[in-house]
Amino acid sequence: MSHTVVSPARIGRSSLGALGVLALALGALQTVVEPALPLLQRELGVSPAEGALVGNALLITGAVLTPVAGKLGDRYGGKRVLMWLMAAVSAGGLLAGFAPNLPVLLLGQILQGAMVGALPLSFILVRKHLTTGASQAAIGVVVALFTGGGMVGTAIAGPIAEALSWHGMFVVPTVVIIAATVVVARLMPHDPPIDAEGGIDWPGAVLLSGALLALMIGLVTVTSGGLSPLAIGAIAVLAAALATGWVAVERKAVSPMVDLRMLAKPVMRNSWVLTLVITVSSGMVVFLLPQLFAVDANGYGFAASTTTIGLFLLPGALAGAFSDSVGGIAARRFGPRAVVIVGAVVTAATMLGLAALHTAAWQLVLAKMLTAVAAGVATTALLASTATAVEAEDTGIATSLLVVTRVIGVALGAQIGGAILAAGGDALTDQPAESAFVLGFAVSGLVAASALLVVRSTKKGIKA
């Protein structure tokens, strides 16, 4: 295996600045959908369950690409692969920006999901071209700007949609992405590929993406009533077959995208189950709150515009960013078990309380903040503790499994929330009934509370 040493001096502030702007724009493009989902559902004439697919399509692509992005960067060069991914993201953003209907918008979102792989590739570039200390600082800046971009996207979605139309929400960040990509291509030095060990698990990637898409589509069709029970059963069988095939491929692959053998270790298995439970509950919150903000104020809604919804969600985004930064510290000081218990109790109590009382906007804003902090601290604590509990050579495998689980959990939770609202729709108003929101909040709270049962039954595996 040969390595070419590149002088740290070859990468300057302009290159890092371009990477930072790119991360900021990517974060914005990823989050413009969250406050605008009710608007998109009205404009496209789709149900909440179908609307949930818009955000989940991006997450599914991200879940599949994240484990392989680093391998692709090592094999072909980080800069080259980053340019490939940005081409896909740019095409997806423009496709979504001019989408005439839901299928085209979903295709655009699927392509945009390639953005999730941009972060590990950015890390590869700064590691290869900077000293250790400088690369750590640069990575922190890129992550912070990506997170900050998410807040920007939440805030600008409404004003852009009102000024230009919902198509502009995708076009404006995409134009910035294209410009930043051009600058990165010109200023960032090429990094030489290395002889990466093992191949790329393309069969595993295809099977996982197919299984997730079939699962999401199945949740939509169950609540839409547009298909016969036989057709719904066929989709369920397809999803199960694809998932089974993925497990079989991962167990036999020389270089699997997700090494499922890690789940044989108690600390890994327990962290995986808890991460999935926490993020499913969190995903339901992420989907349900904007929907309730947008419902006409006929006794239980707020008739909020996309701009207002974005402002209501912004404190929660800030709280979530804060929680991600302190999760590891909390795990080290109090132990992951204590952090998970507190997070589960806070989330369960908040959502069950919201099911009973949701008549004022501040109640929803506060609920979003509390659940964002609880979920962020708990999942980050699990990630940090697992990274230090497994063998050093297994760190990458273990953390990638948990990162993928976080993405899948949020997507699954959002789709479940959409299915509940679609099933509880009011035929007269063509909007979800208040009882559907009550049920959704209660289910989210109960899912979070189930983490306490997992902790109790597996407490030996998640000690500090």
Side-chain angles (χ1 to χ4, degrees):
M1 184 180 297
S2 61
H3 298 267
T4 301
V5 179
V6 181
S7 172
R10 290 185 59 193
I11 180 172
R13 292 183 179 179
S14 298
S15 300
L16 290 176
L19 269 182
V21 172
L22 183 60
L24 185 73
L26 289 172
L29 182 60
Q30 182 181 19
T31 56
V32 290
V33 166
E34 184 179 346
L37 263 184
L39 171 65
L40 292 173
Q41 289 163 203
R42 291 195 303 270
E43 293 288 330
L44 297 171
V46 299
S47 69
E50 293 169 322
L53 281 174
V54 176
N56 286 342
L58 185 151
L59 294 177
I60 290 171
T61 307
V64 173
L65 274 182
T66 298
V68 302
K71 292 183 180 179
L72 289 171
D74 286 336
R75 172 163 296 189
Y76 301 106
K79 178 182 175 181
R80 179 182 297 179
V81 177
L82 180 62
M83 296 301 103
W84 292 348
L85 294 187
M86 290 305 96
V89 172
S90 300
L94 294 176
L95 193 60
F98 295 97
N101 51 43
L102 180 62
V104 177
L105 178 58
L106 289 176
L107 178 58
Q109 287 291 97
I110 289 172
L111 291 173
Q112 289 174 50
M115 73 172 66
V116 182
L119 284 179
L121 290 171
S122 298
F123 302 159
I124 288 175
L125 288 175
V126 298
R127 281 204 312 267
K128 288 183 178 179
H129 297 301
L130 292 175
T131 62
T132 300
S135 66
Q136 290 175 341
I139 288 173
V141 170
V142 170
V143 172
L145 286 172
F146 184 81
T147 302
M151 300 177 197
V152 171
T154 301
I156 68 172
I160 292 178
E162 292 169 6
L164 300 177
S165 83
W166 65 266
H167 297 87
M169 300 185 311
F170 300 101
V171 173
V172 172
T174 301
V175 170
V176 179
I177 288 171
I178 293 172
T181 301
V182 171
V183 176
V184 170
R186 289 179 61 87
L187 298 181
M188 183 68 65
H190 285 281
D191 56 310
I194 62 176
D195 296 327
E197 298 179 0
I200 305 299
D201 183 20
W202 292 119
V206 171
L207 287 169
L208 177 60
S209 58
L212 291 174
L213 280 173
L215 176 62
M216 302 304 172
I217 293 173
L219 288 172
V220 173
T221 55
V222 165
T223 55
S224 66
L227 292 179
S228 65
L230 182 61
I232 294 174
I235 294 176
V237 170
L238 175 62
L242 290 170
T244 302
W246 177 68
V247 171
V249 166
E250 295 305 281
R251 293 181 66 179
K252 295 181 179 179
V254 176
S255 182
M257 62 176 294
V258 177
D259 192 348
L260 298 179
R261 290 169 293 187
M262 287 292 295
L263 294 179
K265 301 181 178 182
V267 64
M268 190 66 235
R269 183 175 58 250
N270 299 337
S271 295
W272 175 78
V273 173
L274 285 168
T275 298
L276 182 65
V277 169
I278 293 168
T279 51
V280 166
S281 175
S282 176
M284 294 186 69
V285 176
V286 167
F287 180 82
L288 290 171
L289 292 184
Q291 300 290 327
L292 183 53
F293 279 131
V295 170
D296 290 342
N298 56 354
Y300 64 95
F302 300 91
S305 66
T306 303
T307 298
T308 304
I309 293 174
L311 292 175
F312 283 152
L313 296 178
L314 196 55
L318 290 168
F322 168 77
S323 68
D324 285 341
S325 66
V326 301
I329 299 173
R332 185 172 65 249
R333 177 157 188 174
F334 304 107
R337 183 169 182 264
V339 174
V340 170
I341 290 174
V342 171
V345 170
V346 169
T347 301
T350 299
M351 296 314 295
L352 293 176
L354 198 60
L357 192 63
H358 46 264
T359 56
W362 69 264
Q363 296 164 350
L364 277 67
V365 172
L366 180 60
K368 172 69 173 175
M369 293 176 64
L370 290 174
T371 54
V373 170
V377 170
T379 55
T380 304
L382 288 169
L383 187 65
S385 62
T386 301
T388 55
V390 300
E391 299 295 331
E393 62 269 20
D394 292 331
T395 301
I397 299 172
T399 53
S400 67
L401 179 58
L402 291 186
V403 169
V404 171
T405 302
R406 287 174 70 164
V407 174
I408 293 174
V410 170
L412 185 58
Q415 205 63 57
I416 292 172
I420 290 174
L421 294 191
D426 190 322
L428 295 177
T429 63
D430 197 29
Q431 296 188 63
E434 183 178 8
S435 58
F437 285 103
V438 171
L439 177 61
F441 293 146
V443 169
S444 174
L446 292 175
V447 170
S450 69
L452 299 175
L453 299 178
V454 177
V455 169
R456 178 165 183 169
S457 62
T458 60
K459 61 184 179 180
K460 291 183 179 181
I462 54 171
K463 288 183 178 179

